[in-house]
Amino acid sequence: SQIEMHTIYGGVVPEIASRKHVEAVSGLAREVLERAGLSREEVDGVAVTYAPGLIGAVLVGVNFAKSAAYGLGVPLIPVHHVRGHIAANYITHPDLEPPFLCLCVSGGNTLIVDVQDYTQMELLGATRDDAAGECFDKVARVLGIGYPGGGPMDRLAQGGDEKKYQLPRAKLDFSFSGLKTAALNLIHNAEQKKEPLDLPSFAASFSRAVADELVPRAMEAAEQCGRTKIAAAGGVAANSKIRAELERACQISGKQLYLPKLSLCGDNGAMIGCQAYYEYLAGRRGDWSLNGYANRDISADV
Ligand code: KG4
């Protein structure tokens, strides 16, 4: 993890992230093989996130994976990062099979995806501006409660009164910039008036506003596509309020809910490996000209 390094700046510094990837990637690959008790000869393929993400870090991964696949003489399998997040659900729930609707919420992405098959997805909706995780992180930074801020905010919210602070909800598509600005204004106003902020209640009100933004839209999308199964994915899917609201909404509407276990919500290699298995079966391969991309539609074929 590079979190300690980025904490000093209160957010990911792209240049530092890329350099740290260069420093860590070879040793990490060696350590992963050791821990898995695998020799290089036992590796059948090399999977890599080729998009979307901070381009410097993505390129480090893509170039390392190309070299590794070439050196080992095995296939290279490009994986869309958010498809990987979705696949974290297959690891947690081996009985889960597409089609299903997935709410994908992380630090950089907020998407509703119709997962029609393991490698066939349709993007139904996305945030107009900030991602849900980014909104958590910015507000937490101003409160000075830690980085990345989603987890600390979630813990702080336990026992708080979620109706105490009034925060706005967007009316149309997903949007988090209005909520972020309103939350920051509320904090600054309280500071200026020297009024103490009831932190647990603020965190609870904020988490509820994010959940209100996400959950009804996901339910509506599932209804429109006729999906009976709903999954969640990404770092923000670890949020206890969002998980509880999804559970409640699915109980009411009789839909089956799938949530990845907490350790698989945030970025991890297992989810990329899992999605790579399905991409491999679907015949998807990268060649030596594979490039990395900062943005890529989840329905794109590399
Ligand atoms: O999926 P992820 O590890 O990285 C990206 O691909 O972006 O997600 C990281 C995001 C951060 O914004 C972090 O604050 C948020 O997930 N997060 C949470 C929680 N745990 C992590 N947000 C809300 N509640 C949580 N419990």
Side-chain angles (χ1 to χ4, degrees):
S1 170
Q2 307 180 3
I3 286 180
E4 212 176 290
M5 180 70 63
H6 298 293
T7 300
I8 308 169
Y9 304 96
V12 174
V13 181
E15 184 58 29
I16 295 178
S18 329
R19 283 167 193 253
K20 288 281 150 196
H21 274 64
V22 173
E23 284 170 25
V25 69
S26 308
L28 184 66
R30 200 173 301 125
E31 196 182 317
V32 163
L33 282 178
E34 261 169 37
R35 281 210 222 165
L38 285 176
S39 67
R40 289 180 190 192
E41 291 68 38
E42 287 170 284
V43 174
D44 309 306
V46 178
V48 64
T49 293
Y50 76 99
L54 287 174
I55 192 60
V58 169
L59 286 174
V60 174
V62 166
N63 283 306
F64 182 82
K66 282 204 270 193
S67 319
Y70 185 78
L72 295 170
V74 296
L76 173 70
I77 307 146
V79 177
H80 188 285
H81 181 69
V82 183
R83 287 191 183 197
H85 274 300
I86 295 171
N89 282 286
Y90 304 134
I91 308 177
T92 308
H93 308 284
D95 59 318
L96 173 63
E97 288 174 10
F100 58 90
L101 187 113
C102 193
L103 173 65
C104 307
V105 271
S106 69
N109 298 282
T110 304
L111 316 174
I112 292 186
V113 179
D114 187 29
V115 184
Q116 295 157 351
D117 207 339
Y118 292 100
T119 57
Q120 198 181 324
M121 333 234 160
E122 191 186 346
L123 176 64
L124 299 178
T127 180
R128 290 178 154 217
D129 38 57
D130 301 338
E134 191 183 336
C135 189
F136 266 108
D137 294 343
K138 291 275 157 58
V139 174
R141 182 165 78 182
V142 172
L143 290 175
I145 58 169
Y147 167 82
M153 205 64 154
D154 197 3
R155 287 187 285 281
L156 193 61
Q158 307 307 316
D161 171 7
E162 62 178 29
K163 298 202 180 88
K164 179 156 178 175
Y165 294 99
Q166 302 302 313
L167 291 162
R169 287 15 175 200
K171 293 206 173 49
L172 298 165
D173 307 348
F174 283 136
S175 164
F176 290 94
S177 87
L179 172 61
K180 185 178 77 181
T181 308
L184 298 182
N185 283 344
L186 202 151
I187 299 166
H188 290 144
N189 280 341
E191 267 169 18
Q192 275 165 3
K193 291 182 194 156
K194 302 211 169 3
E195 283 170 4
L197 202 63
D198 171 357
L199 277 179
S201 297
F202 177 79
S205 306
F206 180 79
S207 300
R208 184 180 168 186
V210 176
D212 282 353
E213 192 77 27
L214 297 172
V215 177
R217 288 190 171 91
M219 299 309 296
E220 199 185 312
E223 208 52 57
Q224 277 180 20
C225 305
R227 299 289 176 227
T228 53
K229 296 183 268 186
I230 296 193
V236 182
N239 183 267
S240 55
K241 180 70 185 167
I242 295 167
R243 292 172 88 95
E245 284 302 308
L246 279 170
E247 257 158 36
R248 206 168 63 95
C250 284
Q251 249 168 25
I252 293 169
S253 62
K255 297 204 188 294
Q256 183 87 31
L257 178 65
Y258 297 86
L259 297 170
K261 66 176 181 178
L262 292 180
S263 60
L264 290 172
C265 285
D267 289 348
N268 64 82
M271 68 187 201
I272 302 298
C274 179
Q275 180 60 24
Y277 171 72
Y278 295 108
E279 303 286 348
Y280 179 83
L281 293 184
R284 190 156 300 168
R285 305 284 185 273
D287 63 21
W288 310 132
S289 67
L290 178 71
N291 204 355
Y293 301 92
N295 297 300
R296 202 65 159 179
D297 192 325
I298 195 162
S299 54
D301 283 349
V302 185

